[in-house]
Amino acid sequence: MHGVFLDLDSLAPADVNWQKLRNAVDSADVFPHTPAADIAERIAGADVVFSNKVQLKREHFASAKQLKLVVVLATGTNNIDLAAAAEFGVTVCNNVAYSSIALVEHSAMLILALMRQLPSYHAAVQQGQWQTHNQFCLLNPPIRQLSGKTLGIIGYGASGQGVADFGRAMGMNILAWQSRPGTDAERIPPRLALDALLPQCDVLSIHCPLNEQTRDLINFAALQKMKPDAILINTARGGIVNEADLARALNEDLIGGAGVDVLTEEPPRNGNPLLSCKHPNLIVTPHNAWGSREARQALIDQSVRVVAAFRRGEAINIVNGC
Ligand SMILES: NC(=O)c1ccc[n+]([C@@H]2O[C@H](COP(=O)([O-])OP(=O)(O)OC[C@H]3O[C@@H](n4cnc5c(N)ncnc54)[C@H](O)[C@@H]3O)[C@@H](O)[C@H]2O)c1
Ligand SMILES: O=C(O)[C@H](O)CO
């Protein structure tokens, strides 16, 4: 079985044991990254393709005659044409819950930083405002506690449940919006329609996949329904939140702040409304919520199991029903 790694460097492989995944196939071509124009040629002789964020489209599945398996080195599979893969008999598997702890820690960091106005206070100290103040402390803009506030979760899967647990530990009330009914074991909190959820949230955290149902889910109309001091967190995918609408909502003080780890274009070579937005309570991180060393190793370990299960004829983590 011949494997092709299209974007190994996206895993920052230097401090993890990725060779065990290389050894899960009989032979391999390993590319640190792959420009779109080179994909077809590189995967032409592959039985298995490993991709984190390289986009695999219909034309690639049509031309890669030997391809049997795509292992997405991520949870999100929005970079893969899943229907086309199924049409050409290619199984697509992802990695589940490997980064939940990292995601929860990153989301918690953003929630706390924004509720406590960390960007403004950091800037104030750097600009010398504390040094020249007539009191011993700075208390403007207002600092808010989490206890007693309402945390809304969109997408109550691995990371959504983990962020809900963090919220409960902080004394928050949890509400969730989820596309499917949950099991008792998942302890899904009251499920509300999105329109009913939005006005109640002090913090809204997004944890659903990007797909045709969730694209632009949080648009200007949705943002207008939120509390004027609400905090929006998106560690899921760019495109679920309309970025121009979010920048406008921040500029017009319709919400109190936002923490965003993901953008529609990554890296954002062509600019982005959120990168030019100067709102004092906006934090943008470079899609690295998942990226702890522990999570990257867990991703590799799980991918080894995915390949081994496929080779045994007992595929796991299938996302395209094939
Ligand atoms: N920023 C990062 O570093 C990072 C890391 C891991 C995952 N992610 C993204 O976060 C997403 C969630 O990750 P996860 O591990 O919690 O995945 P998960 O599959 O465990 O949970 C996703 C949940 O969303 C629900 N859902 C699906 N469609 C929905 C819809 N239309 N409306 C509401 N809920 C819907 C699913 O039923 C599921 O419960 C991934 O799809 C991925 O795109 C980002
Ligand atoms: O979906 C994921 O797992 C993250 O975006 C990291 O690739």
Side-chain angles (χ1 to χ4, degrees):
M1 195 171 226
H2 184 66
V4 173
F5 290 77
L6 290 176
D7 53 356
L8 183 74
D9 275 12
S10 68
L11 300 183
D15 63 354
V16 288
N17 176 3
W18 72 272
Q19 290 292 343
K20 60 199 297 190
L21 185 54
R22 157 72 188 75
N23 294 336
V25 289
D26 303 315
S27 58
D29 294 322
V30 180
F31 299 99
H33 65 97
T34 296
D38 295 347
I39 298 170
E41 188 188 336
R42 289 185 177 181
I43 69 173
D47 299 293
V48 189
V49 165
F50 299 91
S51 169
N52 185 343
K53 291 291 174 285
V54 173
Q55 286 190 31
L56 295 179
K57 300 180 176 173
R58 194 173 191 288
E59 71 218 46
H60 300 124
F61 292 107
S63 66
K65 303 290 183 207
Q66 232 173 277
L67 188 59
K68 299 165 190 65
L69 173 66
V70 171
V71 180
V72 183
L73 300 173
T75 299
T77 56
N78 51 292
N79 53 322
I80 312 290
D81 186 335
L82 299 177
E87 185 187 330
F88 288 97
V90 178
T91 301
V92 182
C93 301
N94 74 341
N95 278 265
V96 297
Y98 75 93
S99 65
S100 304
I101 292 171
L103 246 288
V104 173
E105 290 183 359
H106 197 92
S107 304
M109 172 189 77
L110 293 173
I111 292 169
L112 287 165
L114 294 168
M115 291 292 276
R116 299 196 65 88
Q117 304 274 358
L118 183 65
S120 288
Y121 285 114
H122 182 58
V125 173
Q126 285 198 317
Q127 290 158 11
Q129 289 176 34
W130 190 24
Q131 296 84 321
T132 56
H133 200 51
N134 59 6
Q135 298 293 337
F136 77 97
C137 63
L138 299 181
L139 287 178
N140 189 28
I143 297 164
R144 290 185 300 149
Q145 298 187 172
L146 294 183
S147 181
K149 303 292 191 305
T150 295
L151 169 61
I153 305 274
I154 295 183
Y156 203 67
S159 59
Q161 290 175 42
V163 172
D165 285 343
F166 162 76
R168 284 188 196 97
M170 295 291 111
M172 300 183 82
N173 310 310
I174 313 298
L175 299 175
W177 189 69
Q178 154 78 353
S179 59
R180 63 170 173 79
T183 63
D184 286 347
E186 286 177 317
R187 294 188 302 143
I188 293 201
R191 288 170 69 222
L192 299 173
L194 189 60
D195 281 357
L197 177 80
L198 293 171
Q200 297 191 50
C201 297
D202 298 292
V203 178
L204 178 66
S205 197
I206 298 174
H207 300 282
C208 60
L210 172 65
N211 54 38
E212 287 322 304
Q213 288 74 51
T214 61
R215 190 177 301 281
D216 278 340
L217 185 70
I218 304 300
N219 55 18
F220 197 69
L223 291 159
Q224 279 179 308
K225 296 189 176 104
M226 294 178 69
K227 293 183 183 179
D229 56 1
I231 297 297
L232 174 68
I233 306 292
N234 183 13
T235 58
R237 276 293 181 271
I240 300 174
V241 176
N242 182 299
E243 290 149 354
D245 288 357
L246 175 57
R248 181 178 162 203
L250 288 165
N251 288 333
E252 294 181 11
D253 290 328
L254 293 183
I255 65 168
V260 174
D261 185 51
V262 283
L263 295 175
T264 43
E265 185 196 25
E266 296 174 345
R269 297 202 197 284
N270 297 298
N272 186 288
L274 294 175
L275 297 178
S276 39
C277 176
K278 298 297 172 224
H279 191 276
N281 213 22
L282 167 65
I283 300 175
V284 179
T285 53
H287 200 151
N288 59 5
W290 65 289
S292 66
R293 195 200 63 75
E294 295 89 338
R296 286 179 288 115
Q297 188 63 59
L299 170 72
I300 290 161
D301 295 348
Q302 190 176 137
S303 295
V304 170
R305 294 196 292 278
V306 166
V307 173
F310 182 83
R311 296 188 80 165
R312 286 197 309 272
E314 300 166 2
I316 57 172
N317 295 12
I318 299 172
V319 292
N320 69 336
C322 186

